[in-house]
Amino acid sequence: MRKRKGAGRPTISDVAEKAGVSTITVSRALRDPSKVSDHLRRKIDNAVKKLNYVPHSHASALASTRSNIIGVIVPSLTNNVFADTLRAIYDAFDQGVYQVQLGNSRYVAKEEERLVRTFLGQGPSAMIIAGTDQTEITRELLESAPCPVVQIMEIGDDPIDMMVGFSHFEGGRAAGIHLVQKGYKRIGFLGARMDPRSHRRMEGFKEAMRSGGRYDPDLIMTTTTSSSVTLGAELIGQLRARRPDLDAVFCNNDDLALGALFGCQKAGISVPDDMGIIGFNDLEMMAASYPSLTSIRTDRYAIGKHAVAMIQSALDSEMPDQKIIDVGFELQQRESTSRKR
Amino acid sequence: MRKRKGAGRPTISDVAEKAGVSTITVSRALRDPSKVSDHLRRKIDNAVKKLNYVPHSHASALASTRSNIIGVIVPSLTNNVFADTLRAIYDAFDQGVYQVQLGNSRYVAKEEERLVRTFLGQGPSAMIIAGTDQTEITRELLESAPCPVVQIMEIGDDPIDMMVGFSHFEGGRAAGIHLVQKGYKRIGFLGARMDPRSHRRMEGFKEAMRSGGRYDPDLIMTTTTSSSVTLGAELIGQLRARRPDLDAVFCNNDDLALGALFGCQKAGISVPDDMGIIGFNDLEMMAASYPSLTSIRTDRYAIGKHAVAMIQSALDSEMPDQKIIDVGFELQQRESTSRKR
DNA sequence: TGTTATGATGTTAGCGCTAACATAATGTTA
DNA sequence: TAACATTATGTTAGCGCTAACATCATAACA
C-alpha cells in the first residue's frame, strides 16, 4: 500500500474522529460556529484543544480557492514613512482572517515586478502596492488580477483599481510657497534617492519658485544616494560651497532636513535667521529638535487604514465610496522657518 | 456532474497538455530543470510563458508538506532597530524559494502567542522570533515545532533552538562604565517602553554604577510610554527638575538620547561639559548630530544575516557551527561624552 | 394530518500539486 | 551479449481541506 507522510500534525479528521462527527462539521464549527449546534460545537472545541489542532492554511486555501492573503509591496523597510503605513495595515488586519504578505522592492522596478508575480501566485485576496510608477508588465499583471488592488502613498489620474495618498507635487509646491512667503530669496532644494515621488515633490517646488520669481536651477542639489541625516549635512555643505548666498532649503524628507540643521549648526549658521529649513513628512523628531523644524505633515497611518477599508468594502462587494482618496497634507510651521523679517 | 470553480488561472495540467507531456514532468522542469531533457524543458518553458502560468503555492505546499514560509515575529514595525534586522532577513531570502511571513506582536506577549499559533498553522520552514521572553505556552509551541527556530536580538542561556544577538546587560554596563570613566558623577538613566531588553540594559547600567560607587536609584527615570525624541527631551527635563545636579545620562535608546540633547540645548545646558549623553544602538543620525552623540553600536543587519544563515544550514541538515551567536556591540565614543576634565 | 420550509449534519469529489512507485530507454560492465 | 545500473518520463494516489449536493430531523403551516 502506498503511503505518504503528511505533516505529522493533527488534521481535521483527527478532530472529527475524536469529537464523533464528520470532518465537514468540524470545518463549519471552526469557520462559522453558528452553523453548528451548541452540543457538537462544545465537543469539537474540546477535541481541538486536546489535540492542539491548528488548521492547515494551505489545504484550506486550496480547497476554497481563497487564500486570505493580502500582498503588500513597499520599496523600503527602514524608511519610517512606509513603516507607519505598514503598521496601520498590520493593525487593521490584525484580528481578521487575513494574513499580510510583505515584499520589499528596494526601489527597483524589476524587483517589484518579480514580487507581484510571486504574490499573485498565492492567489491573494487583495494587493497593496506603493506608488504609481509600476512597469508596463506589472501594471498589466495587476490590472488582470482577480482581486482588489490599492496603490498607496500617492494619487494620480489613472489608478490600476483604487488609490489612497496625496499629491507630492502639491506638497512640494506648498513647501516652496511657504519659503517664498517667509521672505527667503535664494531658496535651494536638497534631494536624496530621487525616486518618482521625490521627483514630483521637486517639480512642485520648482513650480512654486517659478511663480514666485525665485527659480534658479543652480540651487537644486540632488543625489541618487539613499537619504540619511549625515547626507543632509553634506548636501547643504556642498550647496553652500557652490552658492554661499543660499538662505533657505526645502529638503526632500525629514532626515535631510535634520542633517541640514546639524550642518548649519556646525558651520555656525543661524537657523532660521540665516537659513530657513523645511522638511517633508513631519516625523516625530521634527517638533522636538532645537530649533524645531518646519515640515509638511503627512498622515501615513491614515493611508494604511484607508487602504484596508477600501479593500474590505471591495471584498464585501460593496462599491467603495470612492476609487481615489486624497488624505492631503498640512504645513506644520515651526522655528526653522520663523525668522523675524 | 459535480463541478467546482477552481481559481480560474492556468494549472500545471494546462501547461502539461500544451507541452504534450505529463504534469509531473512540468513539475520537475519547474523545480529542478536538470531532471528534464533540454528538448522537453524548452517545450514546457514555452507553454509556461504562453499561458502566463504561475504555480499555485498552496497546492504545492499541501502536496509536498513543505510551505517554504519563514515566520518572523517582531514587537515593532516602526522601531529602526527591528527594521534593520528585517531588511537583512528579506535581503537574505530574496532570491530563494522562501517567503517571509511577518508578524507584529506590538510588545504584547499574548499577541505573540497568537501569531506563533497562526504561523505554525502554515507549517513554516523556520521561525524567527525577537527576544527571549516568550510566554510558557509560546515556548512550548516553538519547542515542539518541527522546524528550526531562531531567537534574535539578544542572547541567553536557554535557547528554544538557536539564538543570535548580544547581551543587553553588558551593553548597558559598558555605557555606565564609560560615563564613570569620563569622570561624570551623578549619572542618570532614561528609559522608555521598558520592555525586557530595556530592563536588562538598565540592570547592566546599575551594575556599572554600583561597582563605580555611583549608584543612586533616585537618578533612574523610566516610563512605559513608547520611546520618542520628544519623550527624551521631556524625561531629561523631569530628571533635572528632580536632581538639578545631574551631570550625565545613559539613554535606553538613541531617540531618547537625541531628545535629551535637544532638551539640554533648549535649557542652555552645555553638552558634554555640563551634561554627558550616551545612547544605545548607534542609529545613523548619532554621528551626524551637533554635537555628535556617543552610543553603543549594535549590528542589527548582521543579526538578521546570521539568523538566516543558521536557518539555512539547519534546513540543509548540517549541524550549525554554533547554536548561539554573540554579535557583540561596540562603544562609539563621540562629542557628547568627550568633555575636558 | 400531511405538506412544506428550515436547520443540522453527512457524503462525495475535487482544489492543484508532488511523493512514491512503475516503466521504458539508454549506457556500462564483464 | 547478458546482466545490471542509470536516466528520463509516466501513472496513481494522496496532501488536508471545503464546495456542492444529499439526507434526515424538526418546526411551521394549512
Side-chain angles (χ1 to χ4, degrees), chain B residues 128-198:
Chain B
I128 297 178
I129 188 164
T132 58
D133 296 272
Q134 287 77 32
T135 65
E136 197 62 38
I137 294 172
T138 304
R139 243 195 111 88
E140 276 167 26
L141 284 169
L142 289 172
E143 269 164 357
S144 59
C147 70
V149 176
V150 186
Q151 290 164 291
I152 58 170
M153 303 322 283
E154 59 180 322
I155 53 175
D157 314 316
D158 188 22
I160 292 174
D161 180 11
M162 296 180 284
M163 270 180 172
V164 50
F166 58 88
S167 164
H168 290 252
F169 182 92
E170 290 301 329
R173 203 162 76 93
I177 289 171
H178 176 68
L179 292 174
V180 170
Q181 281 179 345
K182 283 288 154 181
Y184 292 104
K185 305 295 183 200
R186 287 158 304 279
I187 305 170
F189 175 86
L190 301 185
R193 174 81 64 188
M194 296 316 288
D195 58 280
R197 284 173 294 287
S198 293

Side-chain angles (χ1 to χ4, degrees), chain A residues 98-117:
Chain A
Y98 297 105
Q99 278 287 306
V100 176
Q101 180 74 47
L102 177 63
N104 175 15
S105 70
R106 290 181 262 173
Y107 291 101
V108 180
K110 271 282 161 194
E111 192 77 0
E112 185 179 70
E113 191 177 309
R114 204 188 51 100
L115 285 166
V116 167
R117 266 183 219 285

Side-chain angles (χ1 to χ4, degrees), chain A residues 190-210:
Chain A
L190 301 185
R193 174 81 64 188
M194 296 314 288
D195 58 278
R197 283 172 295 286
S198 292
H199 260 285
R200 286 190 264 278
R201 284 176 222 160
M202 183 175 73
E203 291 307 321
F205 169 80
K206 284 182 184 171
E207 168 63 25
M209 292 304 107
R210 281 193 204 97

Side-chain angles (χ1 to χ4, degrees), chain B residues 24-195:
Chain B
I24 191 71
T25 306
V26 176
S27 175
R28 282 197 269 256
L30 295 174
R31 283 180 299 151
D32 186 355
S34 74
K35 283 189 172 165
V36 172
S37 64
D38 290 1
H39 175 62
L40 290 185
R41 184 143 32 85
R42 249 190 309 277
K43 275 193 185 176
I44 291 168
D45 286 349
N46 277 337
V48 165
K49 224 161 268 169
K50 231 166 237 158
L51 294 170
N52 210 1
Y53 170 73
V54 185
H56 295 46
S57 56
H58 300 293
S60 167
L62 181 60
S64 66
T65 67
R66 271 179 278 103
S67 71
N68 292 341
I69 282 178
I70 310 288
V72 179
I73 299 176
V74 293
S76 166
L77 294 177
T78 40
N79 187 328
N80 282 299
V81 169
F82 298 108
D84 285 331
T85 304
L86 277 182
R87 190 162 49 86
I89 294 171
Y90 274 86
D91 284 356
F93 281 124
D94 195 44
Q95 294 305 331
V97 296
Y98 296 105
Q99 278 287 306
V100 176
Q101 181 75 46
L102 177 63
N104 175 15
S105 70
R106 289 180 262 173
Y107 291 100
V108 179
K110 271 282 161 195
E111 192 77 359
E112 186 179 68
E113 192 178 308
R114 203 187 52 99
L115 285 166
V116 167
R117 267 184 218 284
T118 307
F119 284 13
L120 291 181
Q122 307 186 42
S125 296
M127 289 284 295
I128 297 178
I129 188 164
T132 58
D133 296 272
Q134 287 77 32
T135 65
E136 197 62 38
I137 294 172
T138 304
R139 243 195 111 88
E140 276 167 26
L141 284 169
L142 289 172
E143 269 164 357
S144 59
C147 70
V149 176
V150 186
Q151 290 164 291
I152 58 170
M153 303 322 283
E154 59 180 322
I155 53 175
D157 314 316
D158 188 22
I160 292 174
D161 180 11
M162 296 180 284
M163 270 180 172
V164 50
F166 58 88
S167 164
H168 290 252
F169 182 92
E170 290 301 329
R173 203 162 76 93
I177 289 171
H178 176 68
L179 292 174
V180 170
Q181 281 179 345
K182 283 288 154 181
Y184 292 104
K185 305 295 183 200
R186 287 158 304 279
I187 305 170
F189 175 86
L190 301 185
R193 174 81 64 188
M194 296 316 288
D195 58 280

Side-chain angles (χ1 to χ4, degrees), chain A residues 55-77:
Chain A
H56 295 47
S57 56
H58 300 293
S60 166
L62 182 59
S64 65
T65 65
R66 271 181 277 104
S67 71
N68 290 341
I69 282 177
I70 309 288
V72 179
I73 299 176
V74 293
S76 166
L77 294 178

